[in-house]
Amino acid sequence: MKAPENANELFTEFITKKKFIKQPYPNYYPGIADEKMRPIFTEKINQVATDFKIVAESEKPTDEKYQEKIGIGLSKFADIYLELDTEDRERVCMYFEELMDIVGLESSNGQLNKFMHGFDPMEKPKEKKWTDSHGNVFIEKGTEVSIIPAIYKQTGKTYKVFLYNETTENIGIIEDLIIKPREFKVFNLSDTDTLTLSNGVKFMFGETSGLEVEDKKSQVSGLGGKYLTDYGVTNEIDFAFVIVPVGKGD
């Protein structure tokens, strides 16, 4: 990289200008909340400008060298990061971007995004993959989870299915059997059978996957993690669900 011929003049102009003051639209900034912090913030930014100037005047300025200075500069705000509100963080990033424009640096290598948001939105989330006791494969990428159901062959095997009624109505099963509100029952369900509730919900084992739920009105929520303990689900249970009001299921 080669800095423009007037880079020295631009750096001097940047360092001498008053910073963290109120700005009008379109780059609105209300000004720093605590005036006592303004000279401290200004010094930190000006030091970055000085570091950029040194790199620009070196024999071989590179993207990596500027990005290293960005990292060092941002680290100077670490001790006061939690005190910075959104507007102040945006203003800090804008000053860094001004310095990048002076030397023609196109990317901070994600460092400004991480400083602004606590993460780099351009960074691909790491993939986590695991298989549960039923053979279902879970793939987690950031906030998205994909499920690849296990290939299931019906053999007549029986599973224990826990159902908790979190509605205000009785839920009928067969004949006189009901689950009262705030009550649970455990069913020994064969993988060749279908468990049908009076509210239209059905539990059955598919031809190619494990337990499936027919829930047209969104009345079923699966239980996992700490909720198993909260609802008193024992270790012998294979599948656990809560029946909730219409539209509240997952």
Side-chain angles (χ1 to χ4, degrees):
M1 295 182 64
K2 185 177 181 180
E5 295 182 359
N6 64 336
N8 187 56
E9 178 183 340
L10 295 174
F11 281 127
T12 300
E13 181 181 334
F14 178 89
I15 292 173
T16 56
K17 75 175 180 179
K18 198 171 184 179
K19 300 179 179 67
F20 296 100
I21 58 175
K22 186 175 181 179
Q23 296 289 331
Y25 287 100
N27 296 319
Y28 174 75
Y29 175 59
I32 195 166
D34 186 352
E35 184 62 25
K36 291 182 296 184
M37 297 300 293
R38 194 171 68 79
I40 297 174
F41 284 17
T42 298
E43 175 58 30
K44 293 178 185 294
I45 292 295
N46 285 345
Q47 183 58 58
V48 179
T50 299
D51 290 343
F52 263 50
K53 183 173 181 292
I54 292 173
V55 173
E57 293 175 346
S58 64
E59 290 186 4
K60 294 182 179 180
T62 63
D63 285 14
E64 290 75 17
K65 289 181 180 179
Y66 286 120
Q67 289 165 351
E68 179 183 359
K69 297 304 181 184
I70 290 175
I72 294 173
L74 292 175
S75 68
K76 296 180 185 295
F77 289 89
D79 57 336
I80 55 174
Y81 184 81
L82 295 178
E83 300 176 27
L84 296 172
D85 57 23
T86 302
E87 288 83 4
D88 289 335
R89 289 201 302 272
E90 287 178 346
R91 182 54 46 173
V92 168
C93 289
M94 287 186 68
Y95 287 136
F96 274 87
E97 289 169 351
E98 286 183 33
L99 292 172
M100 291 168 59
D101 289 341
I102 291 177
V103 298
L105 180 64
E106 295 183 356
S107 170
S108 69
N109 197 27
Q111 295 180 97
L112 294 184
N113 279 324
K114 289 181 180 180
F115 177 83
M116 184 64 212
H117 305 288
F119 67 95
D120 181 3
M122 301 304 293
E123 183 178 4
K124 294 183 178 180
K126 295 181 179 179
E127 180 178 294
K128 296 180 182 178
K129 188 175 183 179
W130 71 93
T131 304
D132 68 7
S133 59
H134 303 292
N136 300 301
V137 178
F138 294 77
I139 302 174
E140 179 181 3
K141 290 183 179 180
T143 58
E144 295 185 2
V145 179
S146 301
I147 302 175
I148 303 175
I151 301 300
Y152 186 84
K153 294 182 179 180
Q154 293 179 344
T155 62
K157 181 178 178 179
T158 298
Y159 295 89
K160 290 186 178 297
V161 180
F162 173 101
L163 295 183
Y164 184 94
N165 182 3
E166 204 165 76
T167 72
T168 58
E169 305 291 334
N170 290 337
I171 297 176
I173 310 296
I174 52 175
E175 297 179 353
D176 297 328
L177 179 61
I178 62 173
I179 308 177
K180 297 178 181 179
R182 306 300 173 183
E183 181 182 74
F184 74 85
K185 290 191 182 299
V186 176
F187 298 87
N188 292 310
L189 181 63
S190 169
D191 64 9
T192 58
D193 295 333
T194 297
L195 177 62
T196 303
L197 309 186
S198 60
N199 60 3
V201 173
K202 293 182 180 180
F203 296 88
M204 78 289 287
F205 286 81
E207 296 180 357
T208 58
S209 60
L211 184 64
E212 298 177 357
V213 182
E214 185 177 301
D215 182 23
K216 297 180 180 179
K217 298 180 182 179
S218 188
Q219 303 171 83
V220 180
S221 289
L223 291 178
K226 75 179 188 69
Y227 295 105
L228 294 174
T229 301
D230 293 346
Y231 282 86
V233 181
T234 60
N235 292 332
E236 65 180 0
I237 299 299
D238 296 298
F239 302 97
F241 302 93
V242 175
I243 309 301
V244 297
V246 173
K248 301 294 185 181
D250 56 13

